[in-house]
Amino acid sequence: MSEYWLISAPGDKTCQQTWETMNNLTSKQHNLSENFKFHIPDLKVGTLDQLVGLSDDLGKLDNFVDQVTHKVAQYLGEVLEDQKDKLQENLMANNTDLSTYITKFQWDMAKYPIKQSLRNIADIISKQVNQIDADLKTKSTAYNNLKSSLQNMEKKQSASLLTRNLADLVKKEHFILDSEYLTTLLVVVPKSNFNEWNTSYEKLTNMIVPRSSQLVYQDSDFGLFTVSLFKKVVNDFKLMAREKKFVVRDFIYNEEELAAGKNEITKLVTDKKKQFGPLVRWLKVNFSECFCAWIHVKALRVFVESVLRYGLPVNFQAMLIHPHKKSVKRLRDLLNQLYAPLDSSAQQQGNQGGGNDSVDIPGLGFGQSDYYPYVYYKINIDMLDTKA
């Protein structure tokens, strides 16, 4: 399971005792989960009013950082294209896999100095992730435009002969060039009409060069033929050809233009290859930045809510729980029983199944359905889950 529960409970005689009680009950006695201590440093508390205001703002910041983290991960998957199966191994946090990062979480003192106020730390994270979000938009737009241009040119090269770019199919020797009177046309003929073309093209109008038609290229449905004729009968020839379901393509052989077209696609392929490596590296680095920032926001939320719930002096144990797949309900019931004495209203709500009579505590960043006697946040580290 990619789901973890980040919870806190007040210290008993010691915080270690709080940890041992929970761990013994859920993991050692009933084997419902794997548990880890979640270390939160001594942060500056501030005033009660500041904490209440910060609680709501941290909820919004949590959602924002979560969304940006998912966006970076999903765009990395798009950029990897046919290597998308390697996405998971590229999603690292601080050079380790996501589960290791959160189960061995260490506060980053250099990025988020704990001497700063809680509000300042939240602002640092907000600015950092906003910048990553803005840079992602710029980089993804540039790369997507390049990719789109290349795809459009490749489509033109691989489409039906009725619409595709003909430049890479023809050669100089297929055409009469620099003649005052004669020209060469390219005609698309359905495969089923090849015989009809060969027997009738010379008779479609007068002034057609005998035996001038040559099959240049064919795909599964059509063939591309040349035919040489006098310039003055070109319009008549087009009309007569259309009646026979022969399609004359508008095409002028110009070596400079054809070379420029070929150079353009080569340039686009080269540009895409040049941008691919640096873009993947940027996405990997900034995914790590976002994910680490997100877990720090979770730590801030646990700290703020624990102080609001359990009071001062600060005395609580934060714990990370990894539920076993089929044990979620039983684990939840066991935790509710263990921590019921902390909050009778939460226990009452649990018994009522979260009905409308449940107590909602102003200022605490919980929806009613997520309110338990203990502080609780869910962390889903499956970055491929768009519903997360």
Side-chain angles (χ1 to χ4, degrees):
M1 267 180 70
S2 57
E3 182 174 305
Y4 291 79
W5 297 352
L6 181 54
I7 74 164
S8 83
D12 291 333
K13 290 177 183 172
T14 64
C15 287
Q16 177 64 22
Q17 194 174 336
T18 302
W19 158 256
E20 285 173 1
T21 302
M22 189 281 294
N23 193 44
N24 284 336
L25 186 66
T26 60
S27 181
K28 292 183 178 175
Q29 290 178 34
H30 294 97
N31 193 28
L32 302 178
S33 60
E34 191 179 2
N35 305 323
F36 309 88
K37 279 187 182 178
F38 191 87
H39 179 68
I40 299 175
D42 294 328
L43 300 169
K44 282 192 169 183
V45 175
T47 67
L48 182 62
D49 282 351
Q50 287 170 337
L51 290 178
V52 171
L54 191 58
S55 172
D56 290 335
D57 291 344
L58 284 174
K60 293 169 191 168
L61 182 61
D62 187 346
N63 287 333
F64 172 65
V65 179
D66 183 10
Q67 285 167 9
V68 176
T69 307
H70 273 81
K71 268 200 283 190
V72 175
Q74 282 155 18
Y75 191 61
L76 178 56
E78 284 178 38
V79 171
L80 289 172
E81 292 179 33
D82 51 353
Q83 300 175 56
K84 196 170 181 177
D85 57 328
K86 294 182 179 173
L87 175 58
Q88 203 65 54
E89 65 196 62
N90 280 291
L91 297 178
M92 307 282 277
N94 210 16
N95 297 317
T96 185
D97 64 87
L98 306 187
S99 60
T100 302
Y101 178 80
I102 64 170
T103 55
K104 296 183 177 177
F105 175 74
Q106 293 292 320
W107 186 274
D108 192 327
M109 301 285 183
K111 276 187 192 158
Y112 313 117
I114 59 172
K115 289 182 180 177
Q116 300 260 9
S117 70
L118 295 173
R119 172 68 66 186
N120 283 357
I121 295 171
D123 286 345
I124 290 169
I125 293 173
S126 179
K127 283 176 189 169
Q128 175 196 10
V129 178
N130 264 300
Q131 187 61 56
I132 291 171
D133 192 36
D135 290 347
L136 176 65
K137 282 173 189 163
T138 305
K139 288 177 183 291
S140 62
T141 299
Y143 189 75
N144 288 349
N145 287 343
L146 177 62
K147 196 167 142 185
S148 181
S149 299
L150 182 57
Q151 283 171 343
N152 288 337
M153 292 196 78
E154 286 171 341
K155 270 183 194 170
K156 283 183 182 176
Q157 283 194 317
S158 59
S160 157
L161 281 170
L162 293 171
T163 56
R164 72 171 285 177
N165 186 344
L166 303 177
D168 56 331
L169 304 179
V170 295
K171 297 177 183 172
K172 188 175 182 180
E173 55 264 30
H174 292 139
F175 296 86
I176 294 174
L177 302 171
D178 306 321
S179 167
E180 188 178 346
Y181 301 106
L182 291 170
T183 188
T184 301
L185 299 179
L186 293 174
V187 186
V188 177
V189 178
K191 267 196 164 176
S192 56
N193 295 26
F194 278 14
N195 284 339
E196 187 182 358
W197 167 260
N198 287 323
T199 57
S200 66
Y201 77 88
E202 293 178 10
K203 305 167 194 166
L204 291 179
T205 66
N206 54 5
M207 296 189 173
I208 293 172
V209 178
R211 294 185 295 284
S212 62
S213 180
Q214 183 181 351
L215 178 62
V216 173
Y217 177 85
Q218 60 180 311
D219 60 21
S220 55
D221 301 309
F222 298 98
L224 184 67
F225 288 86
T226 59
V227 61
S228 297
L229 65 169
F230 278 76
K231 290 178 180 176
K232 64 187 200 176
V233 297
V234 165
N235 287 337
D236 290 342
F237 181 85
K238 285 181 177 178
L239 283 171
M240 298 304 294
R242 194 180 306 145
E243 287 180 12
K244 296 269 192 182
K245 297 185 179 171
F246 307 146
V247 180
V248 178
R249 292 285 306 270
D250 289 325
F251 184 87
I252 297 170
Y253 188 87
N254 180 312
E255 278 193 296
E256 287 180 9
E257 285 182 15
L258 298 184
K262 285 177 183 174
N263 287 342
E264 187 181 352
I265 197 164
T266 304
K267 182 178 180 300
L268 286 171
V269 169
T270 306
D271 285 353
K272 189 183 170 198
K273 281 180 182 171
K274 270 185 190 171
Q275 288 191 27
F276 176 81
L279 180 58
V280 167
R281 280 193 293 279
W282 185 90
L283 289 166
K284 286 169 67 172
V285 166
N286 285 280
F287 171 79
S288 174
E289 292 288 311
C290 281
F291 186 87
C292 295
W294 184 45
I295 303 305
H296 280 76
V297 174
K298 294 287 190 191
L300 284 175
R301 293 190 78 185
V302 168
F303 182 85
V304 169
E305 302 303 335
S306 297
V307 174
L308 286 172
R309 288 268 198 113
Y310 311 138
L312 291 170
V314 175
N315 180 30
F316 68 89
Q317 178 64 53
M319 300 165 277
L320 188 72
I321 297 174
H322 191 202
H324 294 158
K325 198 166 189 179
K326 294 181 180 177
S327 305
V328 172
K329 187 178 184 309
R330 193 154 167 245
L331 178 62
R332 182 69 76 195
D333 291 343
L334 209 60
L335 289 173
N336 282 342
Q337 287 169 24
L338 175 62
Y339 296 121
L342 293 176
D343 192 332
S344 58
S345 65
Q347 179 63 13
Q348 181 186 9
Q349 178 183 331
N351 293 336
Q352 293 171 347
N356 292 331
D357 296 333
S358 60
V359 177
D360 192 23
I361 298 184
L364 293 183
F366 296 106
Q368 290 185 351
S369 61
D370 277 348
Y371 187 71
Y372 299 100
Y374 48 94
V375 171
Y376 160 81
Y377 295 104
K378 183 173 79 171
I379 301 175
N380 187 347
I381 63 168
D382 180 5
M383 290 295 132
L384 309 183
D385 178 8
T386 52
K387 295 176 185 173

